Amino acid sequence: MDEYLSFVMVGHIDHGKSTLIGRLLYDTNSLPEGKTEEIKKTCEMLGKKFEFAYVMDHLDEEREKGITIETSQIFFKNGNKNYVIIDAPGHKEFIKNMLTGASQADAAVIIVDADEGVMEQTTRHAYLVNMLGIKQIIVVLNKMDKIDYSQEKFENLKNNLHELLLKFQIKPTYVIPISAIEGENIIKKSKKMDWYSGLSVIEALDTFKKMVEIEKMPLRMPIQDVYDIGEKIYVGKIESGTIKKGMEVVILPSEETAKIKSLELYGSDIIEANVGRSIGITFTEDVNIKRGAVICEQNGKPEVSNRITANIFWMGEKPLDKEERIIYKSTTQEINGTVEKIKNKINSSSLEVLEEESKKLEGLEAAEIIIKLEKPAVFDDFNHIPPTGRFVIIKDGIVQGGGIITSRGEAA
Amino acid sequence: MDRLDELESKSIYVIREAYKEYGNVAALWSIGKDSTTLVWLIRKAFYGKVPFPFIHIDTTFKFKEMYEFREKYAKEWGLNLLIAKNQKALDESMGPDKGKFECCTKLKTIALKDFINEKGFKALFLGIRRDEHGIRAKERYFSPRDDEFKWNYKDQPPELWDQYTVKKDNATHVRVHPLLHWSELDIWEYVKRENIPAVDLYFAKDGRRYRSIGCYPCTKPIESNAGTLDDIIHELKTTKIGERSGRAQDKEQAYMMQKLRMLGYM
Amino acid sequence: MIVIVGIDGLEYDYVKEFNLPNLMQRNHGTTDLSEFEEPRTMVIWSSFMAGKNLEKEILSRKNLWEFRLKPEETFFSKFNKHIAIDVPGYTQDMEQHNKERQAMKDYFVDKKISVEEYDELVLRHHEKIKDRFFESLEKDYDIVMGYFGAADVIGHLSFGIKSKMKIIYKEMDEIVRKTSEKADKMIVISDHGMKAVGRFGDHSDHGFWSVNFDIKLEKPKPTEFYKILADLQ
């Protein structure tokens, strides 16, 4: 089976996102057949060079008509590796769509116009991509052709960007100077930028991996539901680690211990299941488990606390107020809580700290908050185990904020 | 886990979430490859003992192979199958000859709407995929529909990670799309791996096969020699023609021929 | 030298959208086709050359494609040395025109050929005409008219694929640019424009005109150019 890697492509409007997507498809021979073939033939018959610009015209046209590329998921292949591009809209109004797309990605490509420099959406996207837990990040500085492929300008821009992002511990894996329109540093290394010794975009993508680290992490299996079909089957998805038949586990937050009698996957006999698998389990003894309990292993248990500290991003139309009652939802745990503190509020586009202590958080602002919960939650530090270290905030019945847990909440 | 396992696990997770959230649910089974895969996944999610019914919207214009398939597997799989029909429209002899759009509205949309209102289902499972059509790219896994069955795709709450909470105030029911992330090729590869039965119409006879199946007056076959699952998979890997592209172009072509004759070309 | 570049099916809206400066020349606009029952290629080109509406006469014939004007019936007779290359209703290459219409049938009715094969047939002829046209510009004619059918014939199958039509339109723009180096007075004219039907193309209800000299024209009828040309003489 071929490997698939999904990445989200984000960038300020007009920084060349669609050109880069077109270029990746064109240069890896992954363009949908049919009409582009026709265009190519027409050029040949008229003795004209088939230029990339014609392909872009065509892709733009198809997108206007809502045909191919709009399908927010674009597939292409390079060698043995299959890629899924999740095309995320650049406008501010589409931030919810951007987050929805990006939260499914293994990696991110952030595109910046080298001529215009870092723009409002660039920093916001970098911040959000990082908040979503995407660690494999490529920043491409596009339109190098417009600044004469200048190394000096590239280095300056790169340093500025690093400085800006480092404040939030965001470290892009690669920063690559490219020209999407001219095809420089996309597949092969650019001859026009021989001063650059790093990887091309596709080479950089090829180094990225899928969810590997989580597999080696300790077990976390939040219970989704309990089915009583002759015997009680506890179902859920493995968020990290591996579960095995015969394994001794601890159930949190109750601290009950139990032994796995069997793994249940309809139609298959399995004795082991890995991260990402939706599975059912049975126990050798009676246990008292409901939705929201988390099956863990003795070594490397998660935190259990009724107070958490987290970085959150707010996207509600109405602000989030201090002391406001909200619902905290992480994996299958849903707990009522109150916002106890809003600290270090920042503007997500400038990454500027607006206030050290705030009374409310407006749309598109981010902050560090402390939430007090009515019951203890089971969680991890996001940087340790991302799936159990992230949550959403539900207000008025809908998801309005997303957050990552940085530590157990200190007493307020 | 390989890619198909991942797709499967994600779908099963969505199915279990929706059932837990809404309880009173049902799944639409159109007998096509996508919804049959959905049936398969639902059976997997509930270990063969599905706690809710399946609905087939019967326009009475389906291919006979589809009715045979429905009867056979509903029985073999022990499905609680409900048939939804707009009997009133049928009694008034509604059919594609009265206009295709009108016919679809009466025999599909209204048939389903009345049926849901009558049974009071809170959520419906549908086997739609994101890669089917442009607009579907904007779909979410959980998508609320209002009284008019309308979908406000411009302002949808985000779906972060696996959190699918939706506001239910204005929604009469929620549509749940467990197959959203599958491609047409994924479906066939999974059908092959799992040995899921498929209606014969999908396999080529005399150089033609159906790529999607529905009502016989409005479904046209494509030219193809793909007679087996492997052939279909191979065909999909090599062609890039849209799944539903055939239909609209047929109409335009007919119009153009008429015009070209009038202009003296043909 | 006066040069007329006749471009079948050239659509005003595309010329504007693609922003093609050579095709637009100094003055440009659309033509008024309301006097015709349908914008038919043979009818409009013939009427353009004869300076009068020939719709009835042409339609009364069994095969309208065989209609041919005599030189004295056209504005060419006002000039000493003149040449018209492949113009429908006057000097059309019957064999090629028959082939193109057969190809259209093969595509739509019998589904025997692909778009690519169809385009190839059209563009090969286009290259031939182009050569003959530019050769004529080197000689001492008083008036030269070249007729280019590709935009229309290809447009019927592909007008809805804008990116492809843009390549054809750019080619026409380039031809006009090269022509302008030789022509003293130049008229670019189409019989009708086109509108998209899905990927295909139907005739639209207006044509395109442009000239490289000063003239006041609102929305001329194709037949009005007879007098304009006679006056240029």
Side-chain angles (χ1 to χ4, degrees), chain A residues 4 70-71 96-97 100 103-104 224-225 227 237 264 276-278 280 291 329 331 390-391 398, chain B residues 1 3 9-10 13 16-17 20 44-47 130 137-138 140 155 158-159 161-163 167:
Chain A
Y4 275 82
E70 180 71 18
T71 53
K96 287 186 283 187
N97 289 351
T100 301
S103 78
Q104 311 296 327
Q224 235 183 321
D225 208 345
Y227 300 153
K237 191 165 82 180
E264 300 292 332
R277 177 78 83 176
S278 281
R291 178 180 165 91
K329 193 167 177 228
T331 63
R390 60 197 180 195
F391 63 93
I398 52 173
Chain B
M1 283 215 312
R3 175 169 167 82
S9 276
K10 173 141 197 173
Y13 188 82
R16 287 173 175 163
E17 282 297 278
K20 180 74 189 170
K44 272 200 161 184
F46 299 102
Y47 300 94
R130 223 173 243 150
K138 298 181 179 71
R140 300 277 208 258
D155 185 33
E159 278 184 351
W161 308 303
D162 292 330
Q163 302 297 351
K167 195 177 184 176

Side-chain angles (χ1 to χ4, degrees), chain C residues 28-77:
Chain C
H28 63 268
T30 56
T31 59
D32 175 8
L33 304 178
S34 57
E35 63 179 305
F36 300 103
E37 179 199 303
E38 285 288 335
R40 291 184 180 89
T41 292
M42 277 299 282
V43 171
I44 298 172
W45 287 116
S46 303
S47 304
F48 165 75
M49 287 180 289
K52 57 180 181 186
N53 186 338
L54 295 174
E55 187 168 49
K56 270 196 187 138
E57 192 181 337
I58 294 175
L59 289 182
S60 67
R61 290 172 171 259
K62 212 172 143 210
N63 183 347
L64 74 155
W65 297 94
E66 280 168 3
F67 179 79
R68 268 183 205 272
L69 290 162
K70 296 189 189 76
E72 58 270 25
E73 294 171 305
T74 71
F75 55 67
F76 290 107
S77 62

Side-chain angles (χ1 to χ4, degrees), chain C residues 131-147:
Chain C
D131 288 347
R132 277 179 59 198
F133 175 67
F134 283 118
E135 274 165 31
S136 308
L137 296 185
E138 298 299 328
K139 297 187 179 146
D140 61 343
Y141 290 109
D142 298 311
I143 183 165
V144 175
M145 176 168 179
Y147 165 81

Side-chain angles (χ1 to χ4, degrees), chain A residues 302-303 379-386 388-390 404-407:
Chain A
E303 308 271 350
F379 61 89
D380 287 283
D381 182 324
F382 177 78
N383 290 310
H384 180 47
I385 302 179
T388 40
R390 60 197 180 195
I404 56 173
I405 300 165
T406 48
S407 66

Side-chain angles (χ1 to χ4, degrees), chain A residues 1-2 4 29-33 35 66-67 70-73 75 84 94 96-97 99-101 103-104 131-133 210-211 224-227 229 233-237 239 264-268 274-281 291 315 317 329-334 382 390-392 394 396-404, chain B residues 1-21 40 42-49 51 77 129-141 153-169 180-183 185-186 189 193-194 237-241 249:
Chain A
M1 196 80 193
D2 297 340
Y4 275 82
N29 250 330
S30 311
L31 275 174
E33 272 172 42
K35 288 174 193 164
I67 310 176
E70 180 71 18
T71 53
S72 80
Q73 286 191 101
F75 294 86
V84 186
F94 292 127
K96 287 186 283 187
N97 289 351
L99 282 169
T100 301
S103 78
Q104 311 296 327
M131 192 197 83
L132 290 169
K210 260 192 108 66
M211 291 205 289
Q224 235 183 321
D225 208 345
V226 186
Y227 300 153
I229 35 178
I233 298 180
Y234 301 86
V235 299
K237 191 165 82 180
E239 298 288 2
E264 300 292 332
L265 183 66
Y266 189 60
S268 317
N274 292 323
V275 61
R277 177 78 83 176
S278 281
I279 192 91
I281 52 177
R291 178 180 165 91
M315 47 198 143
E317 267 174 40
K329 193 167 177 228
S330 174
T331 63
T332 59
Q333 304 171 70
E334 212 173 316
F382 177 78
R390 60 197 180 195
F391 63 93
V392 294
I394 298 169
D396 301 331
I398 52 173
V399 171
Q400 303 203 35
I404 56 173
Chain B
M1 283 215 312
D2 64 22
R3 175 169 167 82
L4 293 178
D5 291 333
E6 261 175 54
L7 296 170
E8 177 193 88
S9 276
K10 173 141 197 173
S11 298
I12 289 177
Y13 188 82
V14 172
I15 291 164
R16 287 173 175 163
E17 282 297 278
Y19 174 63
K20 180 74 189 170
E21 176 86 24
W40 190 266
I42 289 173
R43 291 179 63 238
K44 272 200 161 184
F46 299 102
Y47 300 94
K49 299 191 171 80
W77 294 335
R129 291 178 284 107
R130 223 173 243 150
D131 79 335
E132 264 176 273
H133 195 275
I135 192 83
R136 296 215 162 147
K138 298 181 179 71
E139 275 285 9
R140 300 277 208 258
Y141 285 96
Y153 63 85
K154 285 191 178 140
D155 185 33
Q156 304 178 82
E159 278 184 351
L160 282 185
W161 308 303
D162 292 330
Q163 302 297 351
Y164 306 112
T165 310
V166 297
K167 195 177 184 176
K168 280 149 287 189
D169 296 2
L180 205 55
H181 52 295
W182 296 56
S183 69
L185 180 59
D186 293 331
E189 287 186 330
R193 186 184 88 170
E194 300 279 305
K237 279 185 173 167
T238 46
T239 64
K240 293 277 172 73
I241 300 165
Q249 195 159 321

Side-chain angles (χ1 to χ4, degrees), chain B:
Chain B
M1 283 215 312
D2 64 22
R3 175 169 167 82
L4 293 178
D5 291 333
E6 261 175 54
L7 296 170
E8 177 193 88
S9 276
K10 173 141 197 173
S11 298
I12 289 177
Y13 188 82
V14 172
I15 291 164
R16 287 173 175 163
E17 282 297 278
Y19 174 63
K20 180 74 189 170
E21 176 86 24
Y22 303 107
N24 187 10
V25 299
L28 286 193
W29 186 28
S30 72
I31 327 293
K33 63 182 190 308
D34 297 329
S35 71
T36 303
T37 299
L38 177 64
V39 172
W40 190 266
L41 289 163
I42 289 173
R43 291 179 63 238
K44 272 200 161 184
F46 299 102
Y47 300 94
K49 299 191 171 80
V50 182
F52 50 82
F54 292 85
I55 303 171
H56 180 228
I57 308 170
D58 188 4
T59 59
T60 70
F61 288 101
K62 301 292 174 191
F63 290 96
K64 85 172 191 315
E65 289 89 338
M66 293 170 71
Y67 290 111
E68 287 163 10
F69 187 93
R70 183 184 83 184
E71 294 312 311
K72 181 173 177 203
Y73 290 100
K75 198 173 156 204
E76 189 173 320
W77 294 335
L79 306 181
N80 174 9
L81 182 67
L82 309 175
I83 309 290
K85 256 188 215 176
N86 185 347
Q87 197 55 52
K88 187 166 166 280
L90 287 167
D91 290 344
E92 287 160 8
S93 63
M94 176 47 71
D97 52 319
K98 301 270 160 64
K100 287 182 179 184
F101 181 75
E102 178 73 5
C103 182
C104 271
T105 307
K106 287 268 164 66
L107 298 187
K108 283 188 193 164
T109 316
I110 297 190
L112 176 64
K113 197 172 157 180
D114 290 349
F115 197 76
I116 294 175
N117 285 343
E118 185 196 320
K119 302 277 178 183
F121 294 119
K122 292 217 167 52
L124 272 189
F125 290 103
L126 274 82
I128 67 161
R129 291 178 284 107
R130 223 173 243 150
D131 79 335
E132 264 176 273
H133 195 275
I135 192 83
R136 296 215 162 147
K138 298 181 179 71
E139 275 285 9
R140 300 277 208 258
Y141 285 96
F142 280 36
S143 176
R145 297 294 145 112
D146 65 14
D147 283 342
E148 291 304 306
F149 264 44
K150 285 199 186 112
W151 168 45
N152 183 3
Y153 63 85
K154 285 191 178 140
D155 185 33
Q156 304 178 82
E159 278 184 351
L160 282 185
W161 308 303
D162 292 330
Q163 302 297 351
Y164 306 112
T165 310
V166 297
K167 195 177 184 176
K168 280 149 287 189
D169 296 2
N170 304 318
T172 47
H173 72 279
V174 174
R175 299 231 165 152
V176 181
H177 309 129
L179 299 181
L180 205 55
H181 52 295
W182 296 56
S183 69
E184 188 185 8
L185 180 59
D186 293 331
I187 294 279
W188 284 116
E189 287 186 330
Y190 188 71
V191 163
K192 187 186 166 207
R193 186 184 88 170
E194 300 279 305
N195 240 332
I196 304 174
V199 179
D200 277 345
L201 297 166
Y202 284 113
F203 303 100
K205 249 181 245 130
D206 307 323
R208 276 160 183 253
R209 72 177 192 89
Y210 289 86
R211 198 161 164 193
S212 59
I213 57 174
C215 296
Y216 63 79
C218 298
T219 318
K220 289 228 168 66
I222 56 160
E223 278 175 35
S224 163
N225 289 315
T228 64
L229 284 175
D230 283 323
D231 293 345
I232 291 176
I233 290 166
H234 179 76
E235 183 184 281
L236 287 177
K237 279 185 173 167
T238 46
T239 64
K240 293 277 172 73
I241 300 165
E243 200 173 350
R244 288 161 192 273
S245 66
R247 299 181 196 175
Q249 195 159 321
D250 281 350
K251 263 193 232 160
E252 289 153 10
Q253 196 149 336
Y255 174 78
M256 274 314 293
M257 281 162 69
Q258 185 198 335
K259 287 295 290 201
L260 289 169
R261 283 197 185 103
M262 190 155 71
L263 292 168
Y265 284 100
M266 300 198 301

